[in-house]
Amino acid sequence: MTVTDPTPRTTAAPLTVRYFAGARAAAGRTEERLPAGRSLDDLTAELAGRHGDRLAAVLRVASFLVDGVTCHDRQAPLPAGATIDVLPPFAGG
């Protein structure tokens, strides 16, 4: 008789989220890893819930790079192992 473990397991490489400037200050860290299998909208909702209103405000106005390319479709699944850069608006000139 074989016993199977009903716990689902994901073997997909995790996402790496890197925070820059005001996003870093709001998140209180430079980066973190999260499980793959979600869209950018899903990811930002989780990050806002995890880190609070200050980061949520930054995420609403931030730009996002996925593996160095601007993300235009926030509903598309993020590739496993991707690096997501959170770039708040920058001042200067």
Side-chain angles (χ1 to χ4, degrees), residues 52-63:
D53 292 339
R54 189 170 169 209
L55 182 60
V58 172
L59 294 172
R60 282 192 292 275
V61 296
S63 297

Side-chain angles (χ1 to χ4, degrees), residues 26-50:
R29 61 188 64 214
T30 59
E31 74 177 43
E32 64 185 302
R33 290 182 180 258
L34 294 155
R38 63 188 76 211
S39 68
L40 184 59
D41 279 345
D42 295 336
L43 178 66
T44 57
E46 181 176 338
L47 294 172
R50 187 180 280 217

